[in-house]
Amino acid sequence: IKYGQQEDFMSDEEYEKLKQYMADQIKEIEIHKWLESEKANRDLGEEAVKDWIEKHAAEFRERWEKEHKSYK
């Protein structure tokens, strides 16, 4: 592959699904970060992101894939 060229590792449909998954996940992480920071009365930043990943990422993925299985 030359610089600037893109090799097709996934279909356009798979790429759009991945983009939507990531956008939805980021939204959930930001909500968690905000809520946890409010409870702590300080910006928890990366600490809250890591907390979400440890506590909620697996469940989020499972739920998201069930809700979006028509994309598979």
Side-chain angles (χ1 to χ4, degrees):
I1 299 173
K2 293 182 182 178
Y3 179 76
Q5 287 183 323
Q6 179 181 353
E7 186 166 327
D8 293 327
F9 292 108
M10 61 179 69
S11 69
D12 289 344
E13 184 178 343
E14 290 169 324
Y15 178 71
E16 290 303 318
K17 179 183 175 186
L18 179 60
K19 278 183 20 181
Q20 186 62 55
Y21 173 78
M22 291 173 63
D24 292 348
Q25 187 178 50
I26 289 168
K27 182 178 177 182
E28 291 291 319
I29 291 169
E30 290 296 327
I31 291 169
H32 178 77
K33 187 173 130 180
W34 180 76
L35 290 171
E36 295 303 311
S37 293
E38 286 292 309
K39 289 180 196 174
N41 290 316
R42 65 183 181 88
D43 183 5
L44 295 177
E46 192 174 315
E47 180 182 344
V49 173
K50 289 177 182 178
D51 181 65
W52 186 89
I53 292 168
E54 291 172 5
K55 294 179 180 176
H56 305 289
E59 178 187 337
F60 171 83
R61 181 174 183 164
E62 184 178 312
R63 184 179 72 242
W64 194 93
E65 287 183 347
K66 283 180 185 176
E67 292 171 3
H68 296 85
K69 66 177 150 184
S70 63
Y71 288 113
K72 286 184 175 181

